[in-house]
Amino acid sequence: MTLPPRFNFAGHLFELNRERAARTAYIDDRGTMSYGQLEERSRRLAAALRAAGIRREERVLLLMLDGNDWPVSFLGSLYAGVVPVAVNTLLTPDDYAYMLDHSRAQAVLVSGALLPTLQEAMSRGGHEVRALFVSQPTGALPEGAQEFDAALAAVEPLASPVTTASDDPGFWLYSSGSTGKPKGTVHTHANLWWTAELYGKPVLGLTEDDVCFSAAKMYFAYGLGNALTFPLSVGATVVLMAERPTPDATFRRWTEHRPTVFFGAPTGFAGMLASPKLPAREAVALRMCSSAGEALPGEIAQRFKTHFGCEIIDGIGSTEMLHIFISNRPGDVRYGTTGRPVEGYEVELRGEDGRPVPDGEVGDLYIRGPSSALMYWANREKSRETFQGGWTKSGDKYTRDADGYYTYAGRSDDMLKVSGIYVSPFEVEATLMQHPAVLEAAVIGKEDADGLTKTKAFVVLKDGGAATEDELKAFVKERLAPYKYPRFLEFVAELPKTATGKIQRFRLREKERQS
């Protein structure tokens, strides 16, 4: 598979779906948008950016809740040769002030509900933007700002996409920033195409008859593929949800819009299975589910399949690789593993000496594939550390079995060495979560009286669940090697997490140091 040297991803999608102009592309909380409307509104947004003086390759901050204006903003920017910087909607004004300054964004596309936070960010930073477009404003607009729909109505659609190269910077995504400042990850126009061709079509098997719904928001690499790249590449329909993906909110979309493919994360699947409002199998139309973000415990996947008769296809991707590069496949699922490498990607597990490790041993995960990011913007040190020639270092540790299936063994900075042997926090966490009273668990290293590292577990019990410390320790000891059971255990009401739902073990380590 090859791409022409000149390639604009938005122009490619619009041409691909011209014959589907009347088909529904998106359904949000306000209504539906056809493929024809998506193209027209995106081309109008491209023209509005140009009219505002935004030039090709300049950045625009995209701070929007999931809704029909999100894909219009993203694709319209690409169409204009402008670089959208899609950012998390749950961050603080200080975070946005940093991102505005770091990206040097010349315009902002913002949801009205998020405008006060953005204004606070703009007041704290020294960076000024030339244009501000507000979708669904909830009050008076600030001076110089334009209402989104009015700005689109004031211009004619841009006639043709700006000529861009397939390897031109197309868009940015920021890393989750669980440690240090978030990194601006620069992706190309071609990277979107590659993920659809290598994963969306052959692995997920999406067709135009599918209705896709992603709990992961579109500002995440995972959500962007699920709710834009993959479905639009085959002419499918997408359900968007602005609110938080709580079990109740998710169930409403499952039963009202009847999605056939759902994209979630392990924390979300666990919460839904624990909900008393879990719909019956016959109330939904799910044919397949996908999970990423963190390794999916096999116990959760089995319970979900038992209830819905629907497989969860677990995989691992990253912001740097844009989407999933190791995955289970429909009809070929080994619960508890992440599956096998996606065709088109090479994977290596390397030891501390940089050499490949044999099957069964833990190694650092490296990936080589065509969807890798170009760099971290203005961060040469981290770019060199992560992007090593054709290889990308993921920061994850994995093992591979004799059949070529990969099993998650934790993050590189989360691995514990107990009695001289590596212990995966995830392995202990997954075992604890098999206990019927446990909702979530996180494991870190804690020094004992002798200064030796032992495992400590923080456990969240289900509503109405009951278990003692000794009971849970014995539960783990019965299922894992004796040295792996948590020597310390603490019950907590909740675990600290990033905005993406990943457990922040470093915060638990900080808590231990301060105690």
Side-chain angles (χ1 to χ4, degrees), residues 9-26 33-40 42 75 196 201 207-209 228-238:
F9 185 72
H12 160 73
L13 284 185
F14 298 153
E15 184 176 348
L16 198 65
N17 290 298
R18 292 257 160 81
E19 295 182 357
R20 301 186 180 99
R23 285 182 63 91
T24 299
Y26 284 98
M33 180 169 62
S34 70
Y35 271 94
Q37 292 170 323
L38 172 63
E39 177 178 353
E40 181 185 358
S42 298
L75 294 173
K201 295 177 182 178
T207 73
E208 66 178 6
D209 296 323
L228 190 147
T229 314
F230 299 166
L232 297 192
S233 292
V234 298
T237 297
V238 183

Side-chain angles (χ1 to χ4, degrees), residues 222-341:
Y222 180 49
L224 180 62
N226 303 339
L228 190 147
T229 314
F230 299 166
L232 297 192
S233 292
V234 298
T237 297
V238 183
V239 176
L240 295 178
M241 178 174 69
E243 64 184 299
R244 288 176 53 247
T246 62
D248 285 357
T250 300
F251 297 156
R252 283 200 302 276
R253 274 75 182 183
W254 281 5
T255 55
E256 180 178 350
H257 299 301
R258 308 276 292 176
T260 57
V261 182
F262 174 72
F263 303 87
T267 299
F269 284 113
M272 288 187 287
L273 287 170
S275 171
K277 297 182 181 179
L278 187 70
R281 179 187 295 196
E282 57 271 18
V284 304
L286 298 173
R287 70 170 181 84
M288 183 176 64
C289 291
S290 167
S291 178
E294 287 189 302
L296 177 70
E299 185 264 345
I300 290 176
Q302 291 283 12
R303 286 169 52 208
F304 192 90
K305 184 177 181 181
T306 298
H307 184 86
F308 288 109
C310 173
E311 288 181 322
I312 300 178
I313 310 302
D314 186 27
I316 180 176
S318 68
T319 303
E320 291 76 13
M321 295 303 296
L322 189 55
H323 214 275
I324 290 172
F325 46 81
I326 300 177
S327 182
N328 283 277
R329 291 159 172 76
D332 180 18
V333 176
R334 289 198 185 184
Y335 291 129
T337 80
T338 309
R340 295 177 289 113

Side-chain angles (χ1 to χ4, degrees), residues 23-357:
R23 285 182 63 91
T24 299
Y26 284 98
I27 304 170
D28 71 1
D29 298 333
R30 300 170 68 201
T32 64
M33 180 169 62
S34 70
Y35 271 94
Q37 292 170 323
L38 172 63
E39 177 178 353
E40 181 185 358
R41 285 177 64 78
S42 298
R43 289 170 56 196
R44 285 182 181 274
L45 188 276
L49 289 170
R50 175 173 288 187
I54 309 303
R55 298 168 294 187
R56 61 176 297 160
E57 298 186 9
E58 290 184 327
R59 271 78 64 194
V60 296
L61 200 75
L62 202 172
L63 176 58
M64 281 189 173
L65 302 171
D66 276 21
N68 290 348
D69 287 345
W70 203 107
V72 167
S73 298
F74 185 83
L75 294 173
S77 298
L78 293 181
Y79 198 83
V82 171
V83 179
V85 179
V87 297
N88 191 324
T89 59
L90 301 175
L91 303 180
T92 67
D94 284 341
D95 292 320
Y96 298 130
Y98 169 79
M99 291 173 176
L100 283 166
D101 182 63
H102 180 253
S103 68
R104 303 174 200 143
Q106 297 300 300
V108 180
L109 301 153
V110 63
S111 293
L114 301 171
L115 181 59
T117 304
L118 174 69
Q119 288 178 291
E120 178 65 23
M122 295 173 72
S123 71
R124 295 184 185 184
H127 180 77
E128 295 184 3
V129 300
R130 301 207 304 271
L132 177 60
F133 299 88
V134 184
S135 169
Q136 302 176 48
T138 57
L141 296 178
E143 184 178 354
Q146 300 182 63
E147 193 273 325
F148 194 85
D149 287 338
L152 269 56
V155 294
E156 291 299 314
L158 194 62
S160 59
V162 168
T163 301
T164 52
S166 57
D167 285 339
D168 275 354
F171 63 101
W172 292 18
L173 298 172
Y174 273 98
S175 65
S176 59
S178 57
T179 57
K181 291 289 187 182
K183 301 181 290 292
T185 311
V186 182
H187 277 286
T188 69
H189 281 262
N191 288 359
L192 294 159
W193 185 85
W194 280 114
T195 59
E197 295 302 312
L198 296 179
Y199 188 77
K201 295 177 182 178
V203 177
L204 296 178
L206 296 181
T207 73
E208 66 178 6
D209 296 323
D210 277 311
V211 178
C212 300
F213 175 37
S214 176
K217 300 300 184 181
M218 297 177 79
Y219 51 75
F220 297 135
Y222 180 49
L224 180 62
N226 303 339
L228 190 147
T229 314
F230 299 166
L232 297 192
S233 292
V234 298
T237 297
V238 183
V239 176
L240 295 178
M241 178 174 69
E243 64 184 299
R244 288 176 53 247
T246 62
D248 285 357
T250 300
F251 297 156
R252 283 200 302 276
R253 274 75 182 183
W254 281 5
T255 55
E256 180 178 350
H257 299 301
R258 308 276 292 176
T260 57
V261 182
F262 174 72
F263 303 87
T267 299
F269 284 113
M272 288 187 287
L273 287 170
S275 171
K277 297 182 181 179
L278 187 70
R281 179 187 295 196
E282 57 271 18
V284 304
L286 298 173
R287 70 170 181 84
M288 183 176 64
C289 291
S290 167
S291 178
E294 287 189 302
L296 177 70
E299 185 264 345
I300 290 176
Q302 291 283 12
R303 286 169 52 208
F304 192 90
K305 184 177 181 181
T306 298
H307 184 86
F308 288 109
C310 173
E311 288 181 322
I312 300 178
I313 310 302
D314 186 27
I316 180 176
S318 68
T319 303
E320 291 76 13
M321 295 303 296
L322 189 55
H323 214 275
I324 290 172
F325 46 81
I326 300 177
S327 182
N328 283 277
R329 291 159 172 76
D332 180 18
V333 176
R334 289 198 185 184
Y335 291 129
T337 80
T338 309
R340 295 177 289 113
V342 172
E343 187 173 349
Y345 293 92
E346 296 177 65
V347 173
E348 280 190 4
L349 300 183
R350 302 178 186 174
E352 294 180 0
D353 59 2
R355 297 179 181 177
V357 300

Side-chain angles (χ1 to χ4, degrees), residues 413-430:
D413 54 359
D414 285 334
M415 288 293 288
L416 306 173
K417 219 167 193 180
V418 179
S419 301
I421 306 173
Y422 273 120
V423 174
S424 163
F426 177 78
E427 184 181 22
V428 183
E429 291 162 4

Side-chain angles (χ1 to χ4, degrees), residues 386-460:
T386 300
F387 306 108
Q388 302 180 11
W391 294 91
T392 299
K393 183 179 181 180
S394 74
D396 296 294
K397 286 188 178 287
Y398 263 81
T399 61
R400 182 186 60 234
D401 66 20
D403 295 326
Y405 289 80
Y406 288 73
T407 300
Y408 183 66
R411 289 288 297 174
S412 297
D413 54 359
D414 285 334
M415 288 293 288
L416 306 173
K417 219 167 193 180
V418 179
S419 301
I421 306 173
Y422 273 120
V423 174
S424 163
F426 177 78
E427 184 181 22
V428 183
E429 291 162 4
T431 303
L432 281 164
M433 288 173 64
Q434 293 174 22
H435 191 283
V438 174
L439 177 63
E440 291 183 308
V443 172
I444 64 169
K446 175 183 173 66
E447 287 191 357
D448 63 12
D450 296 321
L452 300 175
T453 298
K454 305 297 181 186
T455 48
K456 174 171 181 176
F458 293 84
V459 174
V460 180

